[in-house]
Amino acid sequence: MSVGTGDLATDLFLGTAALFVALAVAMLYRAVDGPTMQDRVLAVNVLGTNTVVILALLAVGLGESSFLDIALIYALLNFLMSVAISKFTVERGGII
């Protein structure tokens, strides 16, 4: 299955992936300019989740099963990063 064939399902998956990329760029603003540390942690977590969804959509749209393996590993790393940042902010007294 090629990208340029005009298959409706492929175009739908790739278009949805592009929409998630646009949402990730919008969320990047909150990660950089978040007023509190909790906003930044949540934004980074959402960015990681969006990346996993984008990789999964690309895997289906392009027919590359290796993207699913990368998405799974990235999801595990995103979870560990969220736990580590949360633990770090609690120890520093960042929770009100």
Side-chain angles (χ1 to χ4, degrees):
M1 185 181 314
S2 176
V3 177
T5 61
D7 185 45
L8 180 63
T10 300
D11 292 342
L12 185 66
F13 283 119
L14 295 178
T16 307
L19 177 68
F20 272 98
V21 168
L23 292 173
V25 170
M27 188 55 63
L28 186 62
Y29 171 75
R30 180 56 58 200
V32 172
D33 194 42
T36 65
M37 185 61 147
Q38 289 82 11
D39 288 331
R40 290 186 178 109
V41 169
L42 187 61
V44 170
N45 196 5
V46 168
L47 282 170
T49 303
N50 273 352
T51 303
V52 171
V53 170
I54 290 166
L55 285 170
L57 288 169
L58 287 176
V60 174
L62 298 176
E64 290 286 332
S65 62
S66 61
F67 283 170
L68 288 177
D69 297 333
I70 296 168
L72 181 62
I73 292 169
Y74 196 82
L76 292 172
L77 289 174
N78 187 41
F79 172 72
L80 290 174
M81 183 267 320
S82 296
V83 170
I85 289 177
S86 297
K87 184 174 176 6
F88 177 73
T89 56
V90 167
E91 287 177 359
R92 284 187 63 199
I95 303 297
I96 297 174

Coordinates of all heavy atoms in Angstrom, one line a residue:
M1 N 0.8 -1.2 0.0 CA 0.0 0.0 0.0 C 0.9 1.2 0.0 O 1.7 1.4 0.9 CB -0.9 0.0 1.2 CG -1.9 1.1 1.3 SD -2.9 1.1 2.7 CE -3.5 -0.5 2.9
S2 N 0.7 2.1 -1.0 CA 1.5 3.3 -1.1 C 0.8 4.5 -0.7 O -0.5 4.5 -0.7 CB 2.0 3.4 -2.6 OG 2.7 4.6 -2.8
V3 N 1.5 5.5 -0.3 CA 0.9 6.7 0.2 C 0.1 7.5 -0.9 O -1.0 8.0 -0.7 CB 1.9 7.7 0.9 CG1 1.3 9.0 1.3 CG2 2.6 7.0 2.0
G4 N 0.7 7.5 -2.1 CA 0.1 8.2 -3.2 C -1.0 7.6 -3.9 O -1.5 8.1 -5.0
T5 N -1.5 6.4 -3.5 CA -2.5 5.7 -4.3 C -3.9 6.3 -4.2 O -4.8 6.0 -4.9 CB -2.6 4.2 -3.9 OG1 -2.9 4.1 -2.5 CG2 -1.3 3.5 -4.1
G6 N -4.1 7.1 -3.2 CA -5.4 7.7 -3.0 C -6.4 6.8 -2.2 O -7.6 7.1 -2.3
D7 N -5.9 5.8 -1.6 CA -6.8 4.9 -0.8 C -7.4 5.8 0.3 O -6.7 6.5 1.1 CB -6.0 3.8 -0.2 CG -6.8 2.8 0.5 OD1 -7.9 2.4 0.0 OD2 -6.4 2.3 1.6
L8 N -8.7 5.7 0.5 CA -9.4 6.5 1.5 C -9.0 6.2 2.9 O -8.8 7.2 3.7 CB -10.9 6.3 1.3 CG -11.8 7.1 2.3 CD1 -11.6 8.6 2.0 CD2 -13.3 6.7 2.1
A9 N -8.8 5.0 3.3 CA -8.5 4.6 4.6 C -7.1 5.1 4.9 O -6.8 5.7 6.0 CB -8.5 3.1 4.8
T10 N -6.1 5.0 4.0 CA -4.8 5.5 4.2 C -4.8 7.0 4.4 O -4.1 7.5 5.3 CB -3.9 5.1 3.0 OG1 -3.9 3.7 2.9 CG2 -2.5 5.6 3.2
D11 N -5.5 7.7 3.5 CA -5.6 9.2 3.6 C -6.2 9.6 4.9 O -5.9 10.6 5.5 CB -6.4 9.7 2.5 CG -5.7 9.6 1.1 OD1 -4.4 9.4 1.2 OD2 -6.3 9.7 0.1
L12 N -7.2 8.8 5.4 CA -7.9 9.1 6.7 C -6.9 9.0 7.8 O -6.9 9.9 8.7 CB -9.1 8.3 6.8 CG -10.0 8.6 8.1 CD1 -10.6 9.9 7.9 CD2 -11.0 7.5 8.2
F13 N -6.2 7.9 7.9 CA -5.2 7.7 9.0 C -4.1 8.8 8.9 O -3.7 9.3 10.0 CB -4.6 6.3 8.9 CG -5.5 5.2 9.4 CD1 -5.9 4.2 8.6 CD2 -6.0 5.2 10.7 CE1 -6.8 3.2 9.0 CE2 -6.8 4.2 11.2 CZ -7.2 3.2 10.3
L14 N -3.6 9.1 7.8 CA -2.5 10.1 7.7 C -3.1 11.5 8.0 O -2.4 12.3 8.6 CB -1.9 10.0 6.3 CG -1.1 8.7 6.0 CD1 -0.6 8.8 4.6 CD2 0.0 8.5 7.0
G15 N -4.3 11.8 7.6 CA -4.9 13.1 7.9 C -5.1 13.2 9.4 O -4.9 14.3 10.0
T16 N -5.6 12.1 10.0 CA -5.8 12.1 11.5 C -4.4 12.3 12.2 O -4.4 13.0 13.2 CB -6.5 10.9 12.0 OG1 -7.7 10.7 11.2 CG2 -6.8 10.9 13.4
A17 N -3.4 11.7 11.7 CA -2.1 11.9 12.3 C -1.6 13.3 12.2 O -1.0 13.9 13.1 CB -1.1 10.9 11.6
A18 N -1.9 13.9 11.0 CA -1.6 15.4 10.8 C -2.3 16.2 11.8 O -1.8 17.2 12.3 CB -1.8 15.8 9.4
L19 N -3.6 15.9 12.1 CA -4.4 16.6 13.1 C -3.8 16.5 14.5 O -3.7 17.5 15.2 CB -5.8 16.1 13.1 CG -6.7 16.8 14.1 CD1 -7.0 18.2 13.7 CD2 -8.0 16.0 14.2
F20 N -3.3 15.3 14.8 CA -2.7 15.1 16.1 C -1.3 15.9 16.2 O -1.0 16.3 17.3 CB -2.5 13.7 16.4 CG -3.7 13.0 17.1 CD1 -4.6 12.3 16.4 CD2 -3.9 13.2 18.5 CE1 -5.7 11.8 17.0 CE2 -5.0 12.6 19.1 CZ -5.9 11.9 18.4
V21 N -0.6 16.0 15.1 CA 0.6 16.8 15.1 C 0.3 18.3 15.4 O 1.0 18.9 16.2 CB 1.4 16.6 13.8 CG1 2.5 17.6 13.6 CG2 1.9 15.2 13.6
A22 N -0.8 18.8 14.8 CA -1.2 20.2 15.0 C -1.6 20.4 16.5 O -1.3 21.4 17.1 CB -2.4 20.5 14.1
L23 N -2.3 19.4 17.0 CA -2.7 19.5 18.5 C -1.4 19.4 19.4 O -1.4 20.1 20.4 CB -3.6 18.4 18.8 CG -5.0 18.5 18.2 CD1 -5.8 17.2 18.5 CD2 -5.8 19.7 18.7
A24 N -0.4 18.6 19.0 CA 0.8 18.5 19.7 C 1.5 19.9 19.7 O 2.1 20.3 20.7 CB 1.7 17.4 19.2
V25 N 1.6 20.5 18.6 CA 2.2 21.8 18.5 C 1.5 22.8 19.4 O 2.1 23.6 20.0 CB 2.3 22.3 17.0 CG1 2.7 23.7 16.9 CG2 3.2 21.4 16.2
A26 N 0.2 22.8 19.4 CA -0.6 23.7 20.3 C -0.3 23.4 21.7 O -0.2 24.3 22.6 CB -2.1 23.6 20.0
M27 N -0.1 22.1 22.1 CA 0.2 21.7 23.5 C 1.6 22.1 23.9 O 1.9 22.3 25.0 CB -0.1 20.2 23.7 CG 0.0 19.8 25.1 SD -1.1 20.7 26.2 CE -2.7 20.3 25.6
L28 N 2.5 22.2 22.9 CA 3.8 22.6 23.2 C 3.9 24.0 23.8 O 4.7 24.3 24.6 CB 4.7 22.6 21.9 CG 6.2 22.8 22.0 CD1 6.8 21.7 22.9 CD2 6.8 22.8 20.6
Y29 N 3.0 24.9 23.4 CA 2.9 26.2 24.0 C 2.6 26.1 25.5 O 3.2 26.8 26.3 CB 1.7 27.0 23.3 CG 1.4 28.3 24.1 CD1 2.3 29.4 23.9 CD2 0.3 28.4 24.9 CE1 2.0 30.6 24.6 CE2 0.0 29.6 25.5 CZ 0.9 30.7 25.4 OH 0.6 31.8 26.1
R30 N 1.7 25.2 25.9 CA 1.4 25.1 27.3 C 2.6 24.5 28.1 O 2.8 24.8 29.2 CB 0.2 24.2 27.5 CG -0.3 23.9 28.9 CD -0.5 25.2 29.7 NE -1.5 26.0 29.1 CZ -1.6 27.3 29.4 NH1 -0.8 27.9 30.3 NH2 -2.5 28.0 28.8
A31 N 3.4 23.6 27.4 CA 4.5 23.0 28.1 C 5.6 24.0 28.3 O 6.3 24.0 29.3 CB 5.1 21.8 27.2
V32 N 5.7 25.0 27.4 CA 6.8 26.0 27.6 C 6.3 27.1 28.5 O 7.0 27.6 29.3 CB 7.2 26.5 26.2 CG1 8.1 27.7 26.3 CG2 7.9 25.4 25.4
D33 N 5.1 27.6 28.3 CA 4.6 28.8 29.0 C 3.6 28.5 30.1 O 2.9 29.4 30.6 CB 3.9 29.7 27.9 CG 3.6 31.1 28.4 OD1 4.5 31.6 29.1 OD2 2.5 31.6 28.2
G34 N 3.5 27.2 30.6 CA 2.6 26.9 31.6 C 2.8 27.7 32.9 O 4.0 27.9 33.3
P35 N 1.8 28.3 33.5 CA 2.0 29.1 34.7 C 2.5 28.3 35.9 O 3.2 28.8 36.7 CB 0.6 29.7 34.9 CG -0.3 28.9 34.2 CD 0.4 28.2 33.1
T36 N 2.1 27.0 36.0 CA 2.6 26.2 37.1 C 3.3 25.0 36.6 O 3.2 24.6 35.5 CB 1.4 25.8 38.0 OG1 0.6 24.9 37.2 CG2 0.6 27.0 38.5
M37 N 4.1 24.4 37.5 CA 4.8 23.2 37.2 C 3.8 22.0 36.8 O 4.1 21.2 35.9 CB 5.7 22.8 38.4 CG 6.6 21.6 38.1 SD 7.6 22.0 36.7 CE 9.1 21.0 37.1
Q38 N 2.7 22.0 37.5 CA 1.7 20.9 37.2 C 1.2 21.1 35.8 O 1.0 20.1 35.1 CB 0.5 21.0 38.2 CG 0.9 20.5 39.6 CD 1.5 21.6 40.4 OE1 1.5 22.8 40.0 NE2 2.1 21.3 41.5
D39 N 1.0 22.3 35.3 CA 0.6 22.5 33.9 C 1.6 22.0 32.9 O 1.3 21.4 31.9 CB 0.3 24.0 33.6 CG -0.9 24.5 34.3 OD1 -1.9 23.7 34.5 OD2 -1.0 25.7 34.6
R40 N 2.9 22.2 33.2 CA 4.0 21.8 32.4 C 4.1 20.3 32.4 O 4.3 19.7 31.3 CB 5.3 22.4 32.8 CG 5.3 23.9 32.5 CD 6.7 24.4 32.9 NE 6.8 25.8 32.5 CZ 6.8 26.8 33.4 NH1 6.8 26.5 34.7 NH2 6.8 28.1 33.1
V41 N 3.9 19.6 33.5 CA 4.0 18.2 33.6 C 2.9 17.6 32.8 O 3.1 16.6 32.0 CB 4.0 17.7 35.1 CG1 3.8 16.2 35.2 CG2 5.3 18.1 35.8
L42 N 1.7 18.1 33.0 CA 0.5 17.6 32.3 C 0.7 17.8 30.7 O 0.3 16.9 30.0 CB -0.8 18.2 32.8 CG -2.1 17.7 32.2 CD1 -2.2 16.2 32.6 CD2 -3.2 18.5 32.7
A43 N 1.2 18.9 30.3 CA 1.4 19.2 28.9 C 2.4 18.2 28.3 O 2.2 17.7 27.2 CB 1.8 20.6 28.7
V44 N 3.5 18.0 29.0 CA 4.5 17.0 28.5 C 3.9 15.6 28.4 O 4.2 14.9 27.5 CB 5.8 17.1 29.4 CG1 6.7 16.0 29.1 CG2 6.5 18.4 29.3
N45 N 3.1 15.3 29.4 CA 2.5 13.9 29.4 C 1.5 13.8 28.2 O 1.5 12.8 27.5 CB 1.7 13.7 30.7 CG 1.3 12.2 30.8 OD1 1.7 11.4 30.0 ND2 0.6 11.9 31.9
V46 N 0.8 14.9 27.9 CA -0.1 14.9 26.7 C 0.7 14.9 25.4 O 0.3 14.2 24.5 CB -1.1 16.1 26.8 CG1 -1.8 16.3 25.5 CG2 -2.0 16.0 27.9
L47 N 1.8 15.5 25.4 CA 2.7 15.5 24.2 C 3.2 14.1 24.0 O 3.2 13.6 22.8 CB 3.8 16.4 24.4 CG 3.5 17.9 24.1 CD1 4.7 18.8 24.5 CD2 3.2 18.1 22.6
G48 N 3.5 13.4 25.0 CA 4.0 12.0 24.9 C 2.9 11.1 24.4 O 3.1 10.2 23.6
T49 N 1.7 11.3 25.0 CA 0.5 10.5 24.5 C 0.2 10.8 23.1 O -0.1 9.8 22.3 CB -0.7 10.7 25.4 OG1 -0.3 10.5 26.8 CG2 -1.8 9.9 25.0
N50 N 0.2 12.0 22.7 CA 0.0 12.4 21.3 C 1.0 11.7 20.4 O 0.7 11.3 19.3 CB 0.0 13.9 21.1 CG -1.3 14.5 21.3 OD1 -2.3 13.8 21.5 ND2 -1.3 15.8 21.3
T51 N 2.3 11.7 20.8 CA 3.3 11.0 20.0 C 3.0 9.6 19.8 O 3.2 9.0 18.7 CB 4.7 11.2 20.7 OG1 4.9 12.6 20.8 CG2 5.8 10.7 19.8
V52 N 2.6 8.9 20.8 CA 2.2 7.5 20.7 C 1.1 7.3 19.7 O 1.1 6.4 18.9 CB 1.9 6.9 22.1 CG1 1.3 5.5 22.0 CG2 3.1 6.9 23.0
V53 N 0.1 8.1 19.8 CA -1.1 8.0 18.9 C -0.7 8.3 17.5 O -1.1 7.6 16.6 CB -2.2 9.0 19.4 CG1 -3.3 9.1 18.3 CG2 -2.8 8.5 20.7
I54 N 0.2 9.3 17.3 CA 0.7 9.6 16.0 C 1.5 8.4 15.4 O 1.3 8.1 14.2 CB 1.6 10.9 16.0 CG1 0.7 12.1 16.3 CG2 2.3 11.1 14.7 CD1 1.5 13.4 16.6
L55 N 2.3 7.8 16.2 CA 3.1 6.7 15.7 C 2.2 5.5 15.3 O 2.4 4.8 14.3 CB 4.1 6.3 16.7 CG 5.3 7.2 16.9 CD1 6.1 6.8 18.1 CD2 6.2 7.1 15.6
A56 N 1.1 5.3 16.1 CA 0.2 4.2 15.9 C -0.6 4.5 14.6 O -0.8 3.6 13.7 CB -0.8 4.0 17.0
L57 N -1.0 5.7 14.4 CA -1.7 6.1 13.1 C -0.8 6.0 11.9 O -1.3 5.5 10.9 CB -2.3 7.5 13.3 CG -3.5 7.7 14.2 CD1 -3.8 9.1 14.4 CD2 -4.7 6.9 13.6
L58 N 0.4 6.4 12.1 CA 1.4 6.2 10.9 C 1.6 4.7 10.6 O 1.8 4.4 9.5 CB 2.7 6.9 11.2 CG 2.6 8.5 11.2 CD1 3.9 9.1 11.6 CD2 2.2 9.0 9.8
A59 N 1.7 3.9 11.7 CA 1.9 2.5 11.5 C 0.8 1.9 10.6 O 1.0 1.1 9.7 CB 2.0 1.8 12.8
V60 N -0.5 2.3 10.9 CA -1.6 1.7 10.2 C -1.7 2.4 8.8 O -1.9 1.7 7.8 CB -2.9 2.0 11.0 CG1 -4.1 1.6 10.1 CG2 -2.9 1.2 12.3
G61 N -1.5 3.7 8.7 CA -1.6 4.4 7.5 C -0.5 4.0 6.5 O -0.8 3.9 5.3
L62 N 0.7 3.8 6.9 CA 1.8 3.5 6.0 C 2.1 2.0 5.9 O 2.9 1.6 5.1 CB 3.1 4.2 6.5 CG 3.0 5.7 6.5 CD1 4.3 6.3 7.1 CD2 2.8 6.3 5.1
G63 N 1.4 1.2 6.8 CA 1.6 -0.2 6.8 C 3.0 -0.7 7.3 O 3.5 -1.7 7.0
E64 N 3.5 0.1 8.2 CA 4.8 -0.2 8.9 C 4.6 -0.7 10.3 O 4.3 0.1 11.2 CB 5.7 1.0 8.9 CG 6.2 1.5 7.6 CD 7.3 0.5 7.1 OE1 8.0 -0.1 7.9 OE2 7.4 0.4 5.8
S65 N 4.7 -2.0 10.5 CA 4.4 -2.5 11.9 C 5.5 -2.1 12.9 O 5.3 -2.2 14.1 CB 4.3 -4.0 11.8 OG 5.5 -4.6 11.3
S66 N 6.7 -1.7 12.4 CA 7.8 -1.4 13.3 C 7.4 -0.1 14.1 O 7.9 0.1 15.2 CB 9.1 -1.2 12.5 OG 9.0 -0.2 11.6
F67 N 6.6 0.8 13.5 CA 6.1 2.0 14.2 C 5.4 1.6 15.5 O 5.4 2.4 16.5 CB 5.3 2.9 13.3 CG 6.1 3.7 12.3 CD1 5.4 4.4 11.3 CD2 7.5 3.7 12.3 CE1 6.1 5.1 10.4 CE2 8.2 4.5 11.4 CZ 7.5 5.1 10.4
L68 N 4.6 0.5 15.5 CA 3.9 0.1 16.6 C 4.9 -0.3 17.8 O 4.6 0.0 18.9 CB 3.0 -1.1 16.3 CG 1.7 -0.7 15.5 CD1 0.9 -1.9 15.2 CD2 0.9 0.3 16.2
D69 N 6.0 -0.9 17.4 CA 7.0 -1.3 18.4 C 7.6 0.0 19.0 O 7.8 0.1 20.3 CB 8.1 -2.1 17.8 CG 7.6 -3.5 17.3 OD1 6.6 -3.9 17.8 OD2 8.2 -4.0 16.4
I70 N 7.9 0.9 18.2 CA 8.4 2.2 18.7 C 7.4 2.9 19.6 O 7.7 3.5 20.6 CB 8.8 3.1 17.5 CG1 10.0 2.4 16.7 CG2 9.2 4.5 18.0 CD1 10.3 3.1 15.4
A71 N 6.1 2.9 19.2 CA 5.0 3.5 20.0 C 4.9 2.9 21.3 O 4.7 3.6 22.3 CB 3.7 3.5 19.2
L72 N 5.0 1.6 21.4 CA 4.9 0.9 22.7 C 6.1 1.2 23.6 O 5.9 1.5 24.8 CB 4.9 -0.7 22.4 CG 4.8 -1.5 23.7 CD1 3.5 -1.3 24.4 CD2 4.9 -3.0 23.3
I73 N 7.3 1.3 23.1 CA 8.5 1.6 23.9 C 8.3 3.1 24.3 O 8.6 3.4 25.5 CB 9.8 1.4 23.1 CG1 10.0 -0.1 22.9 CG2 10.9 2.0 23.8 CD1 11.1 -0.4 21.9
Y74 N 7.9 4.0 23.4 CA 7.7 5.4 23.8 C 6.6 5.5 24.9 O 6.8 6.4 25.7 CB 7.4 6.2 22.6 CG 7.6 7.7 22.8 CD1 8.8 8.2 22.7 CD2 6.5 8.5 23.1 CE1 9.0 9.6 22.9 CE2 6.7 9.8 23.4 CZ 8.0 10.4 23.2 OH 8.2 11.7 23.5
A75 N 5.6 4.8 24.8 CA 4.5 4.8 25.8 C 5.1 4.4 27.2 O 4.8 5.1 28.2 CB 3.4 4.0 25.4
L76 N 5.9 3.4 27.2 CA 6.5 3.0 28.5 C 7.4 4.1 29.1 O 7.4 4.4 30.3 CB 7.2 1.7 28.3 CG 6.3 0.5 28.1 CD1 7.2 -0.7 27.7 CD2 5.5 0.2 29.3
L77 N 8.2 4.7 28.2 CA 9.2 5.7 28.6 C 8.4 7.0 29.0 O 8.8 7.6 30.0 CB 10.1 6.1 27.5 CG 11.2 5.0 27.1 CD1 12.0 5.5 25.9 CD2 12.1 4.8 28.3
N78 N 7.3 7.3 28.4 CA 6.4 8.4 28.8 C 5.9 8.2 30.2 O 5.8 9.1 31.0 CB 5.3 8.6 27.7 CG 4.5 9.8 28.0 OD1 5.1 10.9 28.3 ND2 3.2 9.7 27.8
F79 N 5.4 7.0 30.5 CA 4.9 6.7 31.8 C 6.0 6.8 32.9 O 5.7 7.5 33.9 CB 4.3 5.3 31.8 CG 3.9 4.8 33.2 CD1 2.8 5.4 33.8 CD2 4.7 3.9 33.9 CE1 2.4 5.0 35.1 CE2 4.3 3.5 35.2 CZ 3.2 4.0 35.8
L80 N 7.1 6.3 32.6 CA 8.2 6.4 33.6 C 8.7 7.9 33.8 O 8.9 8.3 34.9 CB 9.4 5.6 33.1 CG 9.3 4.1 33.2 CD1 10.5 3.4 32.6 CD2 9.0 3.6 34.6
M81 N 8.7 8.6 32.7 CA 9.0 10.1 32.8 C 8.0 10.8 33.6 O 8.3 11.6 34.5 CB 9.1 10.7 31.4 CG 9.5 12.1 31.4 SD 8.2 13.3 31.3 CE 7.0 12.7 30.3
S82 N 6.7 10.5 33.5 CA 5.7 11.2 34.2 C 5.8 10.8 35.7 O 5.7 11.7 36.6 CB 4.3 10.7 33.8 OG 4.1 11.1 32.4
V83 N 6.1 9.6 36.0 CA 6.3 9.2 37.4 C 7.5 9.9 38.0 O 7.4 10.4 39.2 CB 6.4 7.7 37.6 CG1 6.8 7.3 39.0 CG2 5.0 7.0 37.2
A84 N 8.6 9.9 37.3 CA 9.8 10.6 37.8 C 9.6 12.1 38.0 O 10.0 12.6 39.0 CB 10.9 10.3 36.8
I85 N 9.0 12.8 37.1 CA 8.7 14.2 37.3 C 7.8 14.5 38.4 O 8.0 15.4 39.2 CB 8.2 14.8 35.9 CG1 9.3 14.9 34.9 CG2 7.7 16.2 36.2 CD1 8.9 15.4 33.6
S86 N 6.8 13.6 38.6 CA 5.8 13.8 39.7 C 6.6 13.6 41.0 O 6.4 14.4 42.0 CB 4.7 12.9 39.6 OG 3.9 13.1 38.4
K87 N 7.4 12.6 41.1 CA 8.1 12.3 42.3 C 9.1 13.5 42.6 O 9.2 13.9 43.7 CB 8.9 11.0 42.2 CG 9.7 10.6 43.4 CD 10.3 9.2 43.2 CE 11.1 8.7 44.3 NZ 11.2 9.3 45.5
F88 N 9.7 14.0 41.6 CA 10.7 15.1 41.7 C 10.0 16.4 42.2 O 10.5 17.1 43.1 CB 11.4 15.4 40.4 CG 12.3 16.6 40.5 CD1 13.5 16.5 41.1 CD2 12.0 17.8 39.8 CE1 14.4 17.5 41.1 CE2 12.8 18.8 39.9 CZ 14.0 18.7 40.5
T89 N 8.8 16.7 41.7 CA 8.1 17.9 42.1 C 7.5 17.7 43.5 O 7.5 18.7 44.3 CB 6.9 18.3 41.2 OG1 6.0 17.2 41.1 CG2 7.5 18.6 39.8
V90 N 7.1 16.6 43.9 CA 6.6 16.3 45.3 C 7.8 16.5 46.3 O 7.6 17.1 47.3 CB 6.0 15.0 45.4 CG1 5.7 14.6 46.9 CG2 4.7 14.9 44.7
E91 N 9.0 16.0 46.0 CA 10.1 16.1 46.9 C 10.6 17.5 47.0 O 11.1 17.9 48.1 CB 11.2 15.1 46.4 CG 10.9 13.7 46.6 CD 12.0 12.8 46.1 OE1 13.0 13.3 45.5 OE2 11.9 11.6 46.3
R92 N 10.5 18.3 46.0 CA 10.9 19.7 46.0 C 9.9 20.6 46.7 O 10.1 21.8 46.9 CB 11.2 20.2 44.6 CG 12.5 19.7 44.1 CD 12.8 20.3 42.8 NE 13.0 21.8 42.9 CZ 13.0 22.6 41.9 NH1 12.7 22.2 40.7 NH2 13.2 23.9 42.1
G93 N 8.7 20.1 47.0 CA 7.7 20.9 47.6 C 6.9 21.6 46.5 O 6.3 22.7 46.8
G94 N 6.8 21.1 45.3 CA 6.1 21.8 44.2 C 4.6 21.6 44.3 O 3.9 22.3 43.6
I95 N 4.1 20.7 45.1 CA 2.7 20.5 45.2 C 2.1 21.4 46.3 O 2.6 21.5 47.4 CB 2.4 19.0 45.6 CG1 3.0 18.1 44.5 CG2 0.9 18.8 45.7 CD1 2.4 18.3 43.1
I96 N 1.1 22.1 46.0 CA 0.5 23.1 46.9 C -0.5 22.3 47.8 O -1.2 21.5 47.5 CB -0.3 24.2 46.1 CG1 0.7 25.0 45.3 CG2 -1.1 25.0 47.1 CD1 0.1 26.0 44.4

